[in-house]
Amino acid sequence: MNRRHRRHPRESQSPDEVFAEMLLASRELLAVRSPLDAELMVSDMVGAWWGRRLRGGDAEQVLGEGLVDYAAKAGSPAALTLLIALAYLGTARQAAKAEGAALALIERGVAKPRWAERLGVVKPTGCYVSRDAYGDQDTVVCTFGYRGADNDEDRHALVMVVDYNMRGIARDAWVSSHVDKLLDQARTEAGANPMLRFEEIEPQQARALLESAMKATAEYGDRRTNVPVSDSYSAYHAFARARIKALPPGRKRPAPLYSEAPYSRDRRAMLAAEFLSSDAAEHLSDPSAASRCADHIIDYGCDQDFGRPLRVSPTKCQTFLLDWLPRKVLLTPAEQEAVPYVLGAWARFAARRSGLADRGLRATLDGIWEATARFAEAYRDPTTFGLDRDLLERLLPDGDLSALARRVFAFPFLQGTHGEIKLDLLNPSDEADRRILLGIDHAGELDRPDYDEHLAWHEEIAGRLWEGDPPQLWEAAQRLLDLGHDRHDVLHVLIEIAERIGDDPEELSIALDDIADIPDEPPV
């Protein structure tokens, strides 16, 4: 498919300028004969907005609904073709607005494109999944045909890759019109590779799996991180969302391969004990460090991998060692040295328990040893930057290394003395000590009439920052700090928003997302 009309809106462009460009590009739809080509073209066009944020909300919502209004006012044949496509491909709000606007233009006599009656009128003809023996990912293939069609001209397959090493997100998507060739290739690959399995699944199961995966991708993006999807995902996002709705509903999300019942704390401890007493762990020289490392491995498998601590693969082990640990866990020097070896021993233990083939275990061990040399660079011990180990343990009693920056921001005075108070003895995770620390932070404001109420709000914000709840709170603070604003001014803006919004978590998150700068006179 030619994607020459696909352009990301420039920051300097007004919405109307963006809409005018898209309406101009929509003239190509007038010459299209196939409804499939029309759907793919419009999906590609609106995909330029996918995952972007604007002040005021999600770009797909803000610009998408604005485009509908702009096309309705234009009233041209190109505008009508765009509205008809958006009535099928848009979000629920976009689709409702686009359908109403399209009907109004049709009543005024604007000519419909020849493909309009067939747009989206599809039926599923088969659903399949290709799974690797590690349980790393599912490649889901859903095939469709247009209702009433008497040939295979517009038969097509939607292909989506679900990545379980990235919290089950939909990581890739594309469309193929070579359906039989695609299915034959998948069967041939599975037949030649014992580490692959290809099978047909119920359409209801495919829908539940893909809806969950697309939701996971959207939630990943809501964390304001770069979503690790392919370049093609955004182009096919709207098309995929619409095609998934053409599949019959009725199934809960299927569990990933090898998924087990939830692991309680006691069950996790029992599994760690079984590992440490196994033959696989007998060569580990530091039992204490090995025990703590095993706890991290099990927690990662339970909390980040759908309750699958016994699932091992080269990718999963490398992600744990080079990505999750360096971001999330404060390790002692002994644990830093031990963790690659404990992970290798865990792979041997887990492979026997899960039935992973020998070739899979060998590949996993090779992946761990390849990552071991890079682990020393990936894991930067905060103590190497001059931070005191005792201070770190007070700030990170839960070992959550990702919380360090926001907790230092919330409690900057943790060392030295203040009058007769020894700050090194105060624990910011303790409610009474926390109030003393915040009182020291506001020692110059004792004469303000609302001091107790104001300090209580600082306690509220400090507690939320400590827990990272909601994550948008620290994200908003970082944006304002990056603009050069004073820490206290930033805190006061966060307090003003929390006080104004109240207990509605969704409204609070939206309000925090909308913060772009501090007004000239910040609230106090």
Side-chain angles (χ1 to χ4, degrees):
M1 175 186 163
N2 187 346
R3 307 226 289 254
R4 64 181 181 275
H5 47 71
R6 187 168 189 248
R7 296 176 57 187
H8 289 286
R10 299 187 302 273
E11 294 292 336
S12 59
Q13 282 184 301
S14 69
D16 281 355
E17 289 174 327
V18 175
F19 301 151
E21 286 188 3
M22 297 191 74
L23 199 58
L24 183 64
S26 297
R27 293 180 181 179
E28 296 181 31
L29 293 169
L30 298 173
V32 167
R33 294 178 178 271
S34 162
L36 178 61
D37 287 342
E39 292 173 54
L40 291 174
M41 286 176 65
V42 175
S43 178
D44 189 29
M45 290 169 62
V46 300
W49 300 335
W50 179 83
R52 302 191 68 197
R53 297 289 303 182
L54 297 175
R55 188 171 184 179
D58 180 82
E60 188 175 20
Q61 176 182 344
V62 174
L63 294 180
E65 293 179 24
L67 175 61
V68 171
D69 294 334
Y70 187 90
K73 290 178 182 178
S76 64
L80 177 58
T81 62
L82 187 57
L83 289 170
I84 290 172
L86 288 173
Y88 173 65
L89 294 169
T91 63
R93 284 171 56 99
Q94 292 168 12
K97 293 184 69 173
E99 183 177 10
L103 290 173
L105 292 184
I106 292 171
E107 289 177 359
R108 285 167 43 189
V110 180
K112 294 188 295 183
R114 65 185 70 187
W115 43 258
E117 300 300 331
R118 297 180 61 209
L119 191 81
V121 185
V122 297
K123 58 183 178 181
T125 57
C127 295
Y128 311 85
V129 62
S130 177
R131 289 181 165 134
D132 66 84
Y134 296 114
D136 280 335
Q137 68 179 32
D138 288 343
T139 300
V140 183
V141 181
C142 298
T143 63
F144 299 89
Y146 283 85
R147 295 183 185 276
D150 55 3
N151 55 52
D152 291 340
E153 180 183 355
D154 287 331
R155 188 172 172 227
H156 54 282
L158 169 67
V159 185
M160 298 191 74
V161 178
V162 181
D163 190 333
Y164 295 112
N165 289 312
M166 297 301 300
R167 305 304 300 273
I169 68 169
R171 182 173 52 80
D172 199 0
W174 68 92
V175 173
S176 173
S177 57
H178 304 290
V179 177
D180 292 333
K181 182 179 179 181
L182 177 70
L183 295 177
D184 287 344
Q185 182 179 353
R187 292 188 183 99
T188 300
E189 289 178 353
N193 186 350
M195 299 298 288
L196 285 178
R197 194 171 83 195
F198 183 75
E199 60 189 10
E200 188 169 5
I201 59 175
E202 296 178 357
Q204 296 94 327
Q205 185 181 14
R207 175 169 177 165
L209 195 159
L210 294 180
E211 281 183 335
S212 176
M214 292 190 77
K215 180 181 179 183
T217 305
E219 291 173 348
Y220 198 110
D222 285 343
R223 297 287 181 175
R224 297 296 169 275
T225 52
N226 293 322
V227 189
V229 296
S230 69
D231 292 340
S232 66
Y233 182 81
S234 60
Y236 292 106
H237 176 265
F239 181 90
R241 179 177 57 201
R243 280 297 186 271
I244 291 170
K245 291 178 182 177
L247 297 171
R251 286 288 298 270
K252 293 182 179 180
R253 187 202 184 287
L257 196 63
Y258 309 135
S259 184
E260 300 186 32
Y263 275 75
S264 65
R265 275 289 144 201
D266 288 345
R267 190 180 178 199
R268 296 185 194 195
M270 185 179 300
L271 182 60
E274 291 176 12
F275 162 65
L276 294 169
S277 62
S278 69
D279 293 343
E282 64 180 0
H283 69 284
L284 300 175
S285 58
D286 187 337
S288 179
S291 176
R292 292 191 297 270
C293 291
D295 289 341
H296 297 318
I297 294 169
I298 294 170
D299 287 343
Y300 177 73
C302 292
D303 301 334
Q304 306 295 315
D305 190 29
F306 301 91
R308 300 186 291 178
L310 292 171
R311 186 183 79 82
V312 292
S313 76
T315 302
K316 178 182 177 180
C317 290
Q318 289 183 344
T319 302
F320 168 78
L321 204 57
L322 301 179
D323 179 65
W324 188 77
L325 271 182
R327 288 186 299 106
K328 293 292 293 180
V329 180
L330 177 64
L331 299 173
T332 66
E335 291 165 6
Q336 294 172 44
E337 182 178 349
V339 68
Y341 303 98
V342 178
L343 184 59
W346 177 266
R348 293 185 179 89
F349 170 78
R352 295 194 191 103
R353 294 281 295 267
S354 66
L356 181 65
D358 287 344
R359 64 183 294 179
L361 173 59
R362 289 195 299 270
T364 299
L365 293 174
D366 287 344
I368 293 172
W369 303 140
E370 289 174 8
T372 298
R374 290 182 283 157
F375 175 68
E377 297 179 4
Y379 188 87
R380 303 303 300 272
D381 190 332
T383 59
T384 63
F385 300 108
L387 295 175
D388 179 71
R389 174 64 62 172
D390 176 71
L391 174 62
L392 287 171
E393 290 175 353
R394 282 190 292 150
L395 285 167
L396 306 175
D398 52 2
D400 185 359
L401 191 55
S402 64
L404 180 60
R406 67 174 188 265
R407 291 177 182 177
V408 169
F409 173 75
F411 299 99
F413 303 112
L414 291 171
Q415 292 180 302
T417 60
H418 180 80
E420 297 182 355
I421 300 174
K422 294 182 178 180
L423 302 179
D424 301 77
L425 301 180
L426 297 179
N427 182 0
S429 63
D430 177 82
E431 185 175 341
D433 286 359
R434 181 175 289 181
R435 188 169 183 84
I436 294 173
L437 289 166
L438 292 173
I440 293 171
D441 197 12
H442 293 78
E445 303 180 40
L446 291 172
D447 57 346
R448 61 182 293 165
D450 62 342
Y451 173 81
D452 288 336
E453 180 183 0
H454 185 67
L455 192 62
W457 272 111
H458 273 280
E459 285 187 77
E460 170 74 15
I461 296 299
R464 286 179 172 272
L465 286 168
W466 183 273
E467 298 295 337
D469 180 28
Q472 290 87 353
L473 191 72
W474 176 230
E475 290 159 5
Q478 290 178 93
R479 290 198 300 274
L480 297 178
L481 291 170
D482 288 343
L483 291 171
H485 291 296
D486 176 79
R487 171 179 170 272
H488 243 70
D489 287 344
V490 172
L491 286 169
H492 289 161
V493 168
L494 301 180
I495 288 173
E496 187 275 330
I497 291 174
E499 189 173 8
R500 172 166 51 85
I501 298 298
D503 295 330
D504 189 322
E506 184 174 350
E507 289 297 321
L508 177 60
S509 296
I510 293 172
L512 291 167
D513 276 341
D514 286 344
I515 296 177
D517 204 345
I518 292 181
D520 293 335
E521 296 183 4
V524 296

